[in-house]
DNA sequence: CCAAAAGTGTTGATCCTACACCCATGT
DNA sequence: ACATGGGTGTAGGATCAACACTTTTGG
């Protein structure tokens, strides 16, 4: 089948910067490309939009296919459109930010990928296309939204301690935070509710909290 | 000439929400479509991306073609990708926000447009495509960025009084602001510099200020 | 009993808001 | 002289940052 147009058309992809916390460090999901161009290089997950889905739908589908989960946070943060960013043809990429708790993640190499890894942000391998730029943009978007706290829940399991929240917040922001002030702000924000449960750690048990419902009423911030 | 691909490709457009201040009110630039679909309806300026330009370049070019100016503020704020948003074919639109001072503006009907108007925001005509949605998104983006003041300069001439700034700020935010507090914050922000000049109004002359240089070092907030 | 993390309030500094009077100019 | 907008400061309240000790559990 051949698709023909009176004017040239670019292809559209979504690329997804999926972040998680692993051992307290912020990591990003990379796949190793199995095919040219950039065969063997690491890249962000993503793929071509189909003609029957929206960009959001494409990002959600690709993420599901690559990781097997629906991310609680998934929104677009930038467009990448340099004419020669893909050697095959003109490709416009809409970049999405996604956050998932590690435990909900089942990343596996799919048909197009030789391997999958969680890469530490300050130890990234060489990347295909302009994906290093996209990751830089994703971190900026992540930090700027993180100040409103809500996005942090995307990295945490459904029930979490205040300390876990603080660790996630600090990992994203890349700096330590005052424990009592952060807890005061978080508890006063109305974004979390205490549960009756406590953690069963190695030391004194901590109360578990959960994020309020309808935290992401429209998962897409800005139409897409 | 026919362009053929092994997979279907959407078309890409940029649509530009150009705001200005007219008689103290925030207005948006609309063109009346000369051709189907939606012939005769009002729409945002915009057009198809060429294969040799970036999305930013496309928006800048379209704006120049439609208005004859380079806007001091021009950045993308959302993507619109509903499969049936354009009855002709699949079209993805990248929506841009632009601000220009009215005096730098030379809007004219070009080849595709029967007419051009500055439409008052609370008296919009029926709009083609999903452009009403896009305008809604643009106003949200405008208000949220406006809190940092910088974007307001896009609506003002190079030299402006503090009162003119306040009028522009109030028009965008849709609410009055305290004069002394706004002036204090603006002067303390380091974003403006006093000039030696004064306005020649009907009353006591007011000092003229100008925005600092390099206010928009990267005009595009978030890659595109 | 010791180590490790959980829990909890106050104080001082800063920032923001609300508010009123005098000044310079044109008519 | 007066009308119009320009220019300026302060006091009270709210918010934010800094900071230390006690409690609970497991080992």
């Amino acid at each position: 089948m051949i698709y023909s147009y009176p004017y040239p058309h670019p292809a559209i992809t979504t690329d997804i910067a999926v972040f998680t916390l692993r051992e307290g460090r912020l990591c990003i999901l990379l796949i190793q490309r199995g095919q040219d161009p950039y065969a063997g290089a690491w890249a962000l997950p993503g793929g071509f939009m189909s003609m029957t889905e929206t960009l959001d739908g494409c990002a959600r589908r690709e993420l599901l296919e690559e990781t097997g989960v629906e991310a609680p946070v998934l929104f677009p943060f930038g467009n990448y459109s340099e004419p020669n960013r893909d050697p095959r043809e003109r490709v416009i990429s809409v970049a999405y930010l996604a956050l998932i708790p590690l435990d909900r993640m089942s990343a596996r190499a799919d048909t197009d990928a030789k391997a999958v890894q969680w890469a530490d942000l300050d130890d990234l391998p060489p990347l295909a296309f302009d994906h290093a730029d996209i990751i830089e943009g994703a971190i900026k978007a992540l930090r700027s939204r993180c100040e409103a706290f809500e996005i942090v829940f995307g990295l945490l399991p459904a029930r979490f301690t205040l300390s876990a929240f603080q660790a996630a917040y600090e990992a994203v922001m890349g700096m330590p935070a005052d424990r009592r002030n952060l807890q005061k702000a978080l508890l006063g924000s109305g974004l979390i509710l205490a549960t009756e449960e406590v953690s069963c750690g190695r030391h004194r048990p901590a109360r578990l909290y959960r994020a309020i419902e309808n935290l992401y009423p429209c998962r897409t911030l800005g139409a897409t």
Side-chain angles (χ1 to χ4, degrees), chain A residues 60-105:
Chain A
R60 199 153 31 233
R61 174 181 58 73
E62 291 285 348
L63 187 60
L64 192 65
E65 287 175 9
E66 303 267 2
T67 71
V69 300
E70 271 193 77
V73 173
L74 178 65
F75 63 84
F77 66 88
N79 304 316
Y80 293 80
S81 64
E82 283 299 320
N84 299 309
R85 57 182 296 279
D86 190 310
R88 292 166 294 186
E89 64 171 326
R90 184 73 197 277
V91 179
I92 306 294
S93 173
V94 178
Y96 277 75
L97 179 63
L99 302 180
I100 62 179
L102 190 54
D103 62 341
R104 289 181 55 194
M105 172 70 195

Side-chain angles (χ1 to χ4, degrees), chain A residues 14-207:
Chain A
T14 57
D15 287 311
I16 304 143
V18 190
F19 291 96
T20 200
L21 279 182
R22 202 187 43 176
E23 293 160 23
R25 301 181 63 80
L26 193 62
C27 295
I28 187 165
L29 183 64
L30 299 178
I31 63 170
Q32 191 174 27
R33 292 179 57 80
Q35 303 167 8
D36 271 324
Y38 296 100
W42 294 92
L44 295 173
F48 291 92
M49 190 191 70
S50 91
M51 298 301 268
T52 57
E53 66 191 352
T54 62
L55 287 164
D56 280 3
C58 175
R60 199 153 31 233
R61 174 181 58 73
E62 291 285 348
L63 187 60
L64 192 65
E65 287 175 9
E66 303 267 2
T67 71
V69 300
E70 271 193 77
V73 173
L74 178 65
F75 63 84
F77 66 88
N79 304 316
Y80 293 80
S81 64
E82 283 299 320
N84 299 309
R85 57 182 296 279
D86 190 310
R88 292 166 294 186
E89 64 171 326
R90 184 73 197 277
V91 179
I92 306 294
S93 173
V94 178
Y96 277 75
L97 179 63
L99 302 180
I100 62 179
L102 190 54
D103 62 341
R104 289 181 55 194
M105 172 70 195
S106 62
R108 61 191 184 277
D110 80 349
T111 47
D112 291 336
K114 282 166 64 180
V116 169
Q117 71 163 313
W118 284 111
D120 199 297
L121 277 183
D122 30 50
D123 188 26
L124 292 175
L127 291 159
F129 306 107
D130 53 0
H131 287 191
D133 291 344
I134 298 179
I135 290 174
E136 198 178 322
I139 293 170
K140 265 191 206 150
L142 179 56
R143 293 217 168 121
S144 76
R145 305 269 174 128
C146 188
E147 279 162 18
F149 291 157
E150 301 174 30
I151 217 172
V152 180
F153 302 128
L155 293 166
L156 297 172
R159 305 292 161 106
F160 53 87
T161 65
L162 296 179
S163 300
F165 181 92
Q166 179 172 2
Y169 180 83
E170 290 177 337
V172 172
M173 298 305 273
M175 55 174 63
D178 181 273
R179 186 161 58 104
R180 278 168 295 182
N181 290 336
L182 185 63
Q183 291 187 6
K184 219 183 311 173
L186 184 56
L187 290 168
S189 71
L191 294 172
I192 62 169
L193 297 170
T195 69
E196 297 307 307
E197 302 160 72
V198 291
S199 68
C200 47
R202 276 176 304 279
H203 296 288
R204 172 174 176 178
R207 162 150 272 134

